[in-house]
Amino acid sequence: MEPLYLVAVIKPKIERADEVVEALRVMMARTRAENGCDFYDLVVGDDEPDTWLMLEKWSTRADWEAHMATAHVVAGNEAVADLLREPTELRFYSAR
């Protein structure tokens, strides 16, 4: 099976950014311990500080699907829903 690469584009309300970071830190710590999680990192560019990217690599798509059903992801997504300017955009990629 092929690994799954994912970029989640996150656009927090700037005045609530600290709350978003805290919720994502909790989710990141738990996610990194999951089976099939190769990396899971939150990054921000110098030229676009109000748009964040969660860079993810999963051993398989099934691992990612299991991740999305975990209690910490469901709770984390609910916690940040009202703290974002728009819904998170998910971009999926495959290795070449």
Side-chain angles (χ1 to χ4, degrees), residues 10-21 23 76-86:
I10 303 166
K11 296 184 178 184
K13 294 177 182 175
I14 295 306
E15 67 276 8
R16 309 291 297 273
D18 290 342
E19 294 170 78
V20 176
V21 167
N77 286 337
E78 288 175 3
V80 301
D82 291 336
L83 307 177
L84 304 178
R85 297 189 318 273
E86 58 189 65

Side-chain angles (χ1 to χ4, degrees), residues 8-52:
V9 182
I10 303 166
K11 296 184 178 184
K13 294 177 182 175
I14 295 306
E15 67 276 8
R16 309 291 297 273
D18 290 342
E19 294 170 78
V20 176
V21 167
E22 192 54 39
L24 293 177
R25 282 189 181 143
V26 171
M27 190 184 330
M28 288 172 19
R30 293 177 180 162
T31 295
R32 288 177 176 146
E34 289 179 46
N35 288 331
C37 180
D38 295 331
F39 64 78
Y40 195 83
D41 295 316
L42 182 65
V43 299
V44 61
D46 293 339
D47 61 337
E48 206 173 7
D50 60 344
T51 299
W52 305 346

